[in-house]
Amino acid sequence: FPGERNSVVGQKARGQISASAAMTMSLMFRGHLLTVVVVGGYARLVRWERRGSIVTNRFKYTEGPGALILFEFYLRFAQLTRTQRGLD
C-alpha cells in the first residue's frame, strides 16, 4: 500500500492481505472484489481487480469523519447490484 512503512512486518501483512484477495477472486470468479482492511484504529477501502488494486488513504474509522466514510461505504454497497459488487 502506498505511503506505508516498509518494515518486514508490514510487507508480510500486505502479502497476506493480497494473497487472501487473490484466493477469494480465484475461487469465487469475481470481476473485482471490495474489501475493508482494518489495522488498529485505522481502515482502508480496497478494490481488487485482476490487474491490481486501488487503495484509499487510511482513515480513523472509530470517530469523526472516518466513521461516516465506513458507514457510507456499507450503505452504498448494500444498494449495489450483484454485478456492481463484482459477481460475474
Side-chain angles (χ1 to χ4, degrees):
F1 299 113
E4 289 297 314
R5 293 187 195 110
N6 199 16
S7 68
V8 173
V9 173
Q11 288 176 356
K12 286 183 181 180
R14 289 188 295 274
Q16 184 177 8
I17 293 166
S18 298
S20 294
M23 180 67 73
T24 300
M25 289 187 68
S26 70
L27 294 175
M28 298 183 77
F29 306 107
R30 293 178 168 265
H32 65 273
L33 175 68
L34 301 170
T35 60
V36 178
V37 178
V38 177
V39 178
Y42 293 91
R44 292 177 184 271
L45 304 176
V46 185
R47 178 187 164 114
W48 303 90
E49 299 175 350
R50 302 265 178 230
R51 295 181 183 181
S53 62
I54 301 168
V55 183
T56 65
N57 292 325
R58 73 180 191 158
F59 58 91
K60 192 164 188 152
Y61 72 95
T62 57
E63 58 189 45
L68 292 176
I69 291 171
L70 204 51
F71 172 77
E72 191 167 331
F73 169 77
Y74 284 120
L75 180 67
R76 290 180 182 208
F77 183 81
Q79 298 173 13
L80 295 176
T81 65
R82 291 175 52 85
T83 302
Q84 290 171 323
R85 289 182 182 184
L87 298 168
D88 288 344

